[in-house]
């Protein structure tokens, strides 16, 4: 399947590259000269980007970078993964430390218009939710007035949380961490009543608990979080390559390749 996808991705993206050849963008040249794609990912989030004990990364965000490497270098394995916290991710892309950011990142108006970056599309439609310890007996997010909330800094999650509690006349105290591992450990150690994040990530984090069955995801989804890969603005050829690699992968998935 991987091979078929690489061929399909390569063929589709070759068109995008040749169409933009006159304004050959720096990133493409840099990646070709280096012989390796540098891809910014999470510090470890099952399903999106996580390394195994041998340092092999897997997940849907990892697949995006493998697809781009297949398209421009002819080898899906020629990728170096750089783990980044939510706070570090945009600076890493702006500064050129990474060629592409593929890290469960929400496409928002502010990020798209003020950071000098472009979102290439959506590879997962998410939405923010809440994880609570079952023993609290809470059935709805509207019962969370006064809760302490484990949350990760530098995310859309922080602002959505404040909006949701304000709108519903509730108060909360934030307990802020930098990485998802710290956040889930804080939750497991009882430093907060609830953990909030994108729903997919709640399930991923719950799977890291000693006994996942002791925590439940509440039914409310309080925001829209379209996640996707990001590149620097002003590099149209590279933008097209990433965008059409993603589209080719989505079509390949639909075709069952
Ligand atoms: N989609 C949201 C949240 C992204 C985010 O960073 N979520 C945390 C919550 S679990 C995460 O992925 N952490 C992984 C890590 O620390 O590397 C955003 O773009 O701001």
């Amino acid at each position: 399947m991987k091979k078929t996808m690489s061929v399909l991705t390569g063929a589709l993206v070759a068109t995008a590259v040749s169409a933009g050849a006159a304004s050959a963008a720096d990133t493409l040249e840099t990646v070709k000269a280096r012989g390796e794609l540098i891809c910014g990912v999470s510090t470890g989030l099952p399903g999106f980007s996580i390394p195994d004990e041998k340092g092999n990364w897997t997940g849907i965000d990892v697949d995006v970078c493998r697809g781009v490497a297949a398209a421009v270098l002819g080898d899906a394995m020629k990728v170096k993964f750089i783990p980044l916290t939510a706070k570090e991710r945009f600076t890493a892309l702006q500064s050129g430390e990474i060629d592409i950011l593929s890290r469960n990142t929400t496409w928002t108006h502010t990020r798209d218009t003020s950071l000098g970056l472009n979102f290439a599309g959506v590879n997962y439609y998410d939405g923010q939710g809440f994880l609570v310890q079952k023993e609290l007996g809470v059935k709805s997010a509207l019962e969370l007035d006064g809760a302490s909330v484990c949350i990760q800094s530098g995310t859309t999650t922080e602002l959505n949380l404040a909006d949701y509690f304000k709108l519903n006349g509730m108060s909360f105290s934030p307990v802020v961490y930098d990485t998802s591992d710290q956040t889930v450990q804080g939750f497991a150690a009882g430093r907060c009543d609830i953990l909030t994040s994108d729903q997919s990530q709640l399930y991923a984090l719950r799977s890291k608990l000693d006994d996942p069955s002791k925590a439940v995801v509440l039914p409310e989804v309080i925001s829209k979080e379209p996640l996707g890969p990001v590149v620097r603005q002003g590099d149209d050829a590279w933008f097209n390559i990433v965008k059409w690699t993603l589209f080719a992968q989505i079509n390949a998935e639909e075709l069952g390749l």
Side-chain angles (χ1 to χ4, degrees), residues 42-45 84 86 89 103-106 111 152 154-157 178-180 197-198 201 205 225 227:
S42 76
T43 60
L45 193 61
L84 297 165
R89 62 185 151 174
R103 190 205 170 282
N104 54 297
T105 293
T106 306
R111 289 173 178 176
Q152 202 169 319
T155 59
T156 47
T157 320
D178 279 338
T179 69
S180 60
S197 181
D198 296 347
Q201 293 153 44
L205 296 183
E225 309 288 329
L227 314 178

Side-chain angles (χ1 to χ4, degrees), residues 2 6 12 26 42 52 54 62 111 117 134 138 157 163-164 166-167 177 179 183 185 197 219 224 234 254:
K2 266 186 190 134
S6 302
L12 275 171
D26 289 345
S42 76
D52 64 16
K54 289 191 185 132
V62 166
R111 289 173 178 176
L117 303 175
K134 228 180 225 167
V138 171
T157 320
D163 284 351
Y164 182 77
K166 190 169 173 202
L167 193 71
Y177 296 98
T179 69
T183 314
Q185 278 158 22
S197 181
K224 294 186 184 70
E254 271 182 25

Side-chain angles (χ1 to χ4, degrees), residues 108 110-111 128 151-167 172 196 222-223 225:
T108 71
T110 307
R111 289 173 178 176
Q128 185 174 333
I151 189 164
Q152 202 169 319
S153 59
T155 59
T156 47
T157 320
E158 284 184 290
L159 294 176
N160 295 334
L161 175 72
D163 284 351
Y164 182 77
F165 272 70
K166 190 169 173 202
L167 193 71
F172 69 97
T196 185
I222 66 163
S223 70
E225 309 288 329

Side-chain angles (χ1 to χ4, degrees), residues 117-158:
L117 303 175
N118 273 338
F119 285 76
V122 176
N123 68 342
Y124 195 99
Y125 287 92
D126 219 324
Q128 185 174 333
F130 301 98
L131 183 71
V132 299
Q133 300 287 3
K134 228 180 225 167
E135 64 182 19
L136 284 184
V138 171
K139 294 276 178 290
S140 157
L142 295 171
E143 296 167 43
L144 295 176
D145 190 16
S148 53
V149 187
C150 284
I151 189 164
Q152 202 169 319
S153 59
T155 59
T156 47
T157 320
E158 284 184 290

